[in-house]
Amino acid sequence: MNHLDGSDRRWILVTGSNRGIGRATALKLAGDGFGVVLHCRGEVERLQALRDDIAAFGGASRALVFDIADRAACRAQIEADIVASGSYYGVICNAGLARDAVFPGMADDAWDTVLRTNLDGFFNVLKPALMPMIRSRRGGRIVVLSSVAGQIGNRGQVNYSASKAGLIGAAKSLALELASRNITVNCIAPGLIETDMIESAPRQEILKQIPAGRLGSADEVAALAAYLCSDAAAYITRQVIGINGGMI
């Protein structure tokens, strides 16, 4: 367990924690004794329901609402939260989106929105959070949700694949900068996970791509993210860990 009382509790920001992998990760971290800073861009009622679920088993949470593509909003909200409640022990960069289209027919906005959210969001969230984490001298954990699409590409996802590949490069470089500070930086690259993002995808065609013959679950990804935040993972950094049923 990682639970510490009062001001010594270790807090982890989980972006995009109102659904899917982010929600499962927030629940897992809270169950492991971390305080969890929940986040969403909208659908605030989902965050309140998640806070209620966490409180029901004695966990601690608070919530922030902003768009990770909005640099000024990220800075204002995160800095204010840190001033009020202290630095984060960790950040899970989970929030992201997809706007799929074959490249010749891809609208400018589909490219810009995906890159500004998925890739710029890494900078926008971590920049205001990082120096307070370093100054705390407690070490820390950063976990970045990339994708199998960022490793091998995917038809109709040139924008999404580019953003997720960029996250791998950014995380690997940041890991080098932070290793001496006892702050680890790792990527998780999920394959096809049972979430809202693939609700409309052709299920049988998808399963043909997966040697394990099934989709992954958000809880399985959350368990990996929580492990990377644990004390047991202190010597794991600069890694890209796939969770994809054998796709690559």
Side-chain angles (χ1 to χ4, degrees):
M1 295 289 285
N2 295 284
H3 177 77
L4 293 170
D5 291 326
S7 61
D8 291 326
R9 187 190 297 274
R10 293 188 287 189
W11 287 82
I12 296 180
L13 169 64
V14 183
T15 65
S17 46
N18 57 327
R19 61 174 66 225
I21 291 170
R23 186 180 193 280
T25 299
L27 284 168
K28 174 61 176 167
L29 290 169
D32 286 352
F34 289 106
V36 185
V37 182
L38 308 174
H39 160 266
C40 69
R41 182 179 61 177
E43 299 182 320
V44 179
E45 66 283 356
R46 284 179 175 265
L47 279 196
Q48 186 54 56
L50 178 54
R51 292 199 70 192
D52 292 343
D53 290 343
I54 289 171
F57 58 75
S61 70
R62 58 183 188 266
L64 302 176
V65 179
F66 57 85
D67 184 349
I68 66 168
D70 184 335
R71 185 165 297 160
C74 284
R75 182 182 301 115
Q77 292 263 8
I78 291 172
E79 287 181 350
D81 188 53
I82 290 171
V83 167
S85 303
S87 63
Y88 304 145
Y89 177 72
V91 179
I92 310 286
C93 294
N94 167 75
L97 53 77
R99 294 286 186 272
D100 296 350
V102 293
F103 190 74
M106 184 174 289
D108 292 355
D109 182 63
W111 177 271
D112 292 342
T113 299
V114 169
L115 270 293
R116 286 172 183 164
T117 301
N118 297 359
L119 188 54
D120 288 359
F122 171 95
F123 180 89
N124 297 344
V125 169
L126 288 178
K127 188 64 161 43
L130 194 53
M131 280 310 300
M133 187 186 298
I134 291 170
R135 291 191 191 106
S136 74
R137 298 182 182 276
R138 296 190 300 172
R141 302 284 185 267
I142 295 169
V143 179
V144 179
L145 271 292
S146 180
S147 169
V148 69
Q151 297 175 297
I152 62 174
N154 195 30
R155 290 183 181 88
Q157 290 194 317
V158 173
N159 51 357
Y160 184 77
S161 298
S163 70
K164 293 298 187 176
L167 287 174
I168 291 173
K172 282 181 169 286
S173 297
L174 186 59
L176 288 174
E177 295 184 7
L178 297 179
S180 65
R181 308 278 189 171
N182 295 319
I183 298 172
T184 66
V185 186
N186 292 290
C187 275
I188 295 174
L192 293 158
I193 308 298
E194 187 81 69
T195 65
D196 294 348
M197 190 173 281
I198 66 165
E199 268 185 355
S200 60
R203 185 66 56 104
Q204 293 308 310
E205 289 303 311
I206 284 175
L207 292 177
K208 290 176 184 177
Q209 303 175 47
I210 308 170
R214 68 172 179 87
L215 300 179
S217 74
D219 287 341
E220 288 171 317
V221 182
L224 176 55
Y227 173 71
L228 290 173
C229 290
S230 72
D231 292 339
Y235 200 54
I236 301 173
T237 195
R238 207 183 174 206
Q239 302 305 302
V240 180
I241 303 173
I243 178 164
N244 57 46
M247 289 180 69
I248 60 172

